[in-house]
Coordinates of all heavy atoms in Angstrom, one line a residue:
I9 N 173.3 145.8 55.2 CA 173.5 144.5 55.8 C 175.0 144.2 55.6 O 175.6 144.6 54.7 CB 172.7 143.4 55.0 CG1 172.8 142.0 55.6 CG2 173.0 143.4 53.5 CD1 171.9 141.0 55.0
G10 N 175.6 143.5 56.6 CA 177.0 143.2 56.5 C 177.4 142.1 57.5 O 176.6 141.5 58.2
A11 N 178.7 141.9 57.5 CA 179.3 140.9 58.4 C 180.7 141.2 58.7 O 181.4 141.8 57.9 CB 179.2 139.5 57.7
R12 N 181.1 140.8 59.9 CA 182.5 141.0 60.4 C 182.8 139.8 61.3 O 181.9 139.0 61.6 CB 182.7 142.3 61.1 CG 181.8 142.5 62.3 CD 181.9 143.9 62.9 NE 181.0 144.1 64.0 CZ 181.2 143.7 65.2 NH1 182.3 143.0 65.6 NH2 180.2 143.9 66.2
A13 N 184.0 139.7 61.8 CA 184.3 138.6 62.7 C 185.5 138.9 63.6 O 186.2 139.8 63.4 CB 184.6 137.4 61.8
D14 N 185.5 138.1 64.7 CA 186.7 138.1 65.5 C 187.2 136.6 65.6 O 186.8 135.8 64.8 CB 186.5 138.7 66.8 CG 185.4 138.1 67.6 OD1 185.1 136.9 67.4 OD2 184.8 138.8 68.5
E15 N 188.0 136.3 66.6 CA 188.5 134.9 66.7 C 187.5 133.9 67.1 O 187.7 132.7 66.9 CB 189.7 134.9 67.6 CG 189.4 135.2 69.1 CD 189.3 136.6 69.4 OE1 189.4 137.5 68.5 OE2 189.2 137.0 70.6
K16 N 186.4 134.3 67.6 CA 185.4 133.4 68.1 C 184.0 133.4 67.4 O 183.3 132.4 67.3 CB 185.1 133.6 69.6 CG 186.3 133.2 70.5 CD 186.0 133.3 72.0 CE 187.1 132.9 72.8 NZ 186.8 133.0 74.3
F17 N 183.6 134.6 66.9 CA 182.3 134.8 66.4 C 182.3 135.5 65.0 O 183.2 136.3 64.7 CB 181.4 135.6 67.3 CG 181.0 134.9 68.6 CD1 181.8 135.1 69.7 CD2 179.9 134.1 68.6 CE1 181.4 134.4 70.9 CE2 179.5 133.5 69.8 CZ 180.3 133.6 70.9
V18 N 181.3 135.1 64.2 CA 181.0 135.9 63.0 C 179.7 136.7 63.3 O 178.8 136.2 63.9 CB 180.8 135.0 61.8 CG1 180.3 135.8 60.6 CG2 182.0 134.2 61.5
Y19 N 179.8 138.0 63.0 CA 178.6 138.9 63.3 C 178.0 139.3 62.0 O 178.5 140.0 61.2 CB 179.2 140.1 64.1 CG 180.0 139.8 65.3 CD1 181.4 139.8 65.2 CD2 179.4 139.5 66.5 CE1 182.1 139.4 66.3 CE2 180.1 139.2 67.6 CZ 181.5 139.2 67.5 OH 182.3 138.9 68.6
L20 N 176.7 138.9 61.9 CA 175.9 139.3 60.7 C 174.9 140.3 61.2 O 174.2 140.1 62.2 CB 175.1 138.1 60.1 CG 175.9 137.0 59.3 CD1 176.9 136.3 60.1 CD2 174.9 136.0 58.7
W21 N 174.9 141.5 60.5 CA 174.1 142.6 61.0 C 173.2 143.2 60.0 O 173.6 143.2 58.8 CB 175.0 143.6 61.7 CG 176.1 144.2 60.9 CD1 177.4 143.7 60.8 CD2 176.1 145.2 59.9 NE1 178.2 144.4 59.9 CE2 177.4 145.3 59.3 CE3 175.0 146.0 59.4 CZ2 177.6 146.3 58.3 CZ3 175.3 147.0 58.4 CH2 176.6 147.1 57.9
V22 N 172.1 143.8 60.4 CA 171.3 144.6 59.6 C 171.0 145.9 60.3 O 170.7 146.0 61.5 CB 169.9 143.9 59.4 CG1 168.9 144.8 58.7 CG2 170.1 142.6 58.5
R23 N 171.2 147.0 59.6 CA 171.1 148.4 60.2 C 170.1 149.2 59.4 O 170.0 149.1 58.1 CB 172.5 149.0 60.2 CG 172.5 150.4 60.7 CD 173.9 151.0 60.7 NE 174.8 150.1 61.5 CZ 176.1 149.8 61.1 NH1 176.6 150.2 59.9 NH2 176.8 149.0 61.8
D24 N 169.3 150.1 60.1 CA 168.4 151.0 59.4 C 168.4 152.3 60.1 O 169.0 152.5 61.1 CB 167.0 150.4 59.4 CG 166.4 150.3 60.8 OD1 166.3 151.3 61.5 OD2 166.0 149.1 61.2
N25 N 167.8 153.3 59.4 CA 167.7 154.6 60.0 C 166.2 154.9 60.3 O 165.7 156.0 60.2 CB 168.2 155.7 58.9 CG 167.3 155.7 57.7 OD1 166.7 154.7 57.3 ND2 167.2 156.9 57.0
G26 N 165.6 153.9 60.9 CA 164.1 154.0 61.2 C 163.8 154.7 62.5 O 164.6 155.4 63.0
I27 N 162.6 154.3 63.0 CA 162.1 155.0 64.2 C 162.8 154.6 65.5 O 162.7 155.4 66.4 CB 160.6 154.6 64.3 CG1 160.4 153.1 64.5 CG2 159.8 155.1 63.1 CD1 158.9 152.7 64.8
G28 N 163.5 153.5 65.5 CA 164.3 153.1 66.7 C 163.4 152.4 67.7 O 162.1 152.4 67.6
I29 N 164.0 151.8 68.7 CA 163.4 151.1 69.7 C 163.8 151.6 71.1 O 165.0 151.7 71.4 CB 163.7 149.6 69.7 CG1 163.4 149.0 68.3 CG2 163.0 148.8 70.8 CD1 164.0 147.6 68.0
P30 N 162.9 152.0 72.0 CA 163.3 152.5 73.3 C 164.1 151.4 74.0 O 163.8 150.2 73.9 CB 161.9 152.7 74.0 CG 160.9 152.9 72.9 CD 161.4 152.0 71.8
R31 N 165.1 151.9 74.8 CA 166.0 151.0 75.5 C 165.3 149.9 76.3 O 165.6 148.8 76.4 CB 167.0 151.8 76.3 CG 168.1 150.9 76.9 CD 169.1 151.7 77.6 NE 170.2 150.9 78.2 CZ 171.2 150.4 77.5 NH1 171.3 150.7 76.2 NH2 172.1 149.6 78.0
G32 N 164.2 150.3 77.0 CA 163.5 149.4 77.9 C 162.7 148.3 77.1 O 162.3 147.4 77.8
E33 N 162.6 148.5 75.8 CA 161.9 147.5 75.0 C 162.9 146.5 74.3 O 162.4 145.6 73.6 CB 161.1 148.2 73.9 CG 160.2 149.3 74.5 CD 159.1 148.7 75.3 OE1 158.6 147.6 75.1 OE2 158.6 149.4 76.3
H34 N 164.2 146.6 74.4 CA 165.1 145.8 73.6 C 164.9 144.3 73.9 O 165.1 143.5 72.9 CB 166.6 146.3 73.9 CG 166.9 147.6 73.3 ND1 168.2 148.1 73.3 CD2 166.1 148.5 72.8 CE1 168.2 149.2 72.7 NE2 167.0 149.5 72.4
R35 N 164.7 143.9 75.1 CA 164.5 142.5 75.4 C 163.2 142.0 74.9 O 163.1 140.9 74.4 CB 164.7 142.2 76.9 CG 166.1 142.4 77.4 CD 166.2 142.1 78.9 NE 167.5 142.2 79.4 CZ 168.4 141.2 79.5 NH1 168.0 140.0 79.0 NH2 169.6 141.3 79.9
R36 N 162.2 142.8 75.0 CA 160.8 142.4 74.8 C 160.5 142.2 73.3 O 159.5 141.5 72.9 CB 159.8 143.3 75.4 CG 159.9 143.4 76.9 CD 158.6 143.9 77.5 NE 157.5 143.0 77.2 CZ 156.2 143.3 77.4 NH1 155.9 144.5 77.9 NH2 155.2 142.5 77.2
V37 N 161.3 142.8 72.4 CA 160.9 142.7 71.0 C 161.0 141.3 70.4 O 160.4 141.0 69.4 CB 161.9 143.7 70.1 CG1 161.6 145.1 70.5 CG2 163.3 143.3 70.3
F38 N 161.7 140.4 71.2 CA 161.8 139.0 70.7 C 160.6 138.1 71.2 O 160.6 137.0 70.9 CB 163.1 138.4 71.1 CG 164.3 139.2 70.5 CD1 165.1 140.0 71.2 CD2 164.6 139.0 69.1 CE1 166.2 140.7 70.7 CE2 165.7 139.7 68.6 CZ 166.4 140.5 69.3
E39 N 159.8 138.7 72.0 CA 158.6 137.9 72.5 C 157.6 137.8 71.4 O 157.4 138.7 70.5 CB 158.0 138.7 73.7 CG 158.8 138.8 74.9 CD 158.2 139.6 76.0 OE1 157.0 139.9 75.9 OE2 158.9 139.9 77.0
K40 N 156.9 136.6 71.3 CA 155.9 136.4 70.3 C 154.8 137.5 70.4 O 154.3 137.8 71.5 CB 155.3 135.0 70.5 CG 156.2 133.9 70.3 CD 155.5 132.6 70.6 CE 156.5 131.4 70.6 NZ 155.8 130.1 71.0
F41 N 154.4 138.0 69.3 CA 153.3 138.9 69.1 C 153.6 140.3 69.8 O 152.7 141.2 69.7 CB 152.0 138.3 69.6 CG 151.7 137.0 69.1 CD1 151.7 135.9 69.9 CD2 151.4 136.9 67.7 CE1 151.4 134.6 69.3 CE2 151.1 135.6 67.2 CZ 151.1 134.5 68.0
Y42 N 154.7 140.5 70.4 CA 155.0 141.8 71.0 C 155.4 142.8 70.0 O 156.2 142.6 69.1 CB 156.1 141.7 72.0 CG 156.3 143.0 72.8 CD1 155.5 143.4 73.8 CD2 157.4 143.8 72.4 CE1 155.7 144.6 74.4 CE2 157.6 145.0 73.1 CZ 156.7 145.4 74.1 OH 156.9 146.6 74.7
R43 N 154.8 144.0 70.1 CA 155.1 145.1 69.2 C 155.3 146.3 70.0 O 154.6 146.6 70.9 CB 154.0 145.3 68.2 CG 153.6 144.0 67.4 CD 152.6 144.2 66.3 NE 153.2 144.6 65.1 CZ 152.6 144.8 64.0 NH1 151.3 144.6 63.9 NH2 153.2 145.2 62.9
V44 N 156.4 147.1 69.7 CA 156.8 148.2 70.5 C 155.7 149.3 70.7 O 155.4 149.7 71.8 CB 158.1 148.8 69.9 CG1 158.5 150.1 70.7 CG2 159.2 147.8 70.0
D45 N 155.2 149.7 69.6 CA 154.2 150.8 69.7 C 152.9 150.3 69.0 O 152.8 150.3 67.8 CB 154.7 152.1 69.0 CG 153.8 153.3 69.2 OD1 152.6 153.1 69.3 OD2 154.3 154.4 69.2
E46 N 151.9 150.0 69.8 CA 150.7 149.4 69.2 C 150.0 150.4 68.3 O 149.4 150.0 67.3 CB 149.7 149.0 70.3 CG 150.2 147.7 71.1 CD 150.2 146.5 70.1 OE1 149.5 146.5 69.1 OE2 151.0 145.6 70.4
R47 N 150.0 151.7 68.6 CA 149.4 152.7 67.7 C 150.0 152.7 66.3 O 149.4 152.7 65.3 CB 149.5 154.1 68.3 CG 148.7 154.2 69.6 CD 149.0 155.5 70.3 NE 150.4 155.5 70.7 CZ 151.1 156.6 71.2 NH1 150.4 157.7 71.4 NH2 152.3 156.5 71.5
L48 N 151.4 152.6 66.3 CA 152.1 152.6 65.1 C 151.9 151.3 64.4 O 151.7 151.1 63.2 CB 153.6 152.9 65.3 CG 154.5 152.8 64.0 CD1 154.1 153.8 63.0 CD2 156.0 152.9 64.4
S49 N 152.0 150.2 65.2 CA 151.9 148.8 64.6 C 150.6 148.6 63.9 O 150.5 147.8 63.0 CB 152.1 147.8 65.8 OG 153.4 147.9 66.3
R50 N 149.5 149.2 64.4 CA 148.2 149.0 63.7 C 148.2 149.5 62.3 O 147.5 149.1 61.4 CB 147.1 149.7 64.5 CG 146.7 148.9 65.7 CD 145.4 149.4 66.3 NE 145.5 150.7 66.9 CZ 145.8 150.9 68.2 NH1 145.9 149.8 69.0 NH2 146.0 152.1 68.7
A51 N 149.1 150.5 62.0 CA 149.2 151.1 60.7 C 150.3 150.3 59.8 O 150.4 150.6 58.6 CB 149.6 152.5 60.8
I52 N 151.0 149.4 60.4 CA 152.0 148.6 59.7 C 151.7 147.2 59.7 O 151.6 146.6 60.8 CB 153.4 148.9 60.3 CG1 153.8 150.4 60.2 CG2 154.5 148.1 59.6 CD1 155.1 150.7 60.9

């Protein structure tokens, strides 16, 4: 976890080395109840 900034924004970030998210799913992950991989999600 960390933070950096420029003249307009402060950027707070969280990074992991996990399973990753397919590019086509990047927008949808913020939808309510949406989970990228339902097979994996049932185990988590």
Side-chain angles (χ1 to χ4, degrees):
I9 185 173
R12 58 185 176 82
D14 57 25
E15 66 277 4
K16 292 184 178 181
F17 289 94
V18 175
Y19 306 96
L20 283 64
W21 53 265
V22 171
R23 179 179 301 139
D24 65 57
N25 66 331
I27 60 175
I29 303 169
R31 186 173 182 84
E33 309 291 329
H34 287 191
R35 288 180 179 271
R36 296 201 65 192
V37 294
F38 297 106
E39 297 176 8
K40 297 177 190 177
F41 307 112
Y42 183 76
R43 308 185 81 176
V44 173
D45 187 330
E46 286 298 332
R47 293 168 300 174
L48 176 63
S49 296
R50 281 193 290 268
I52 300 176

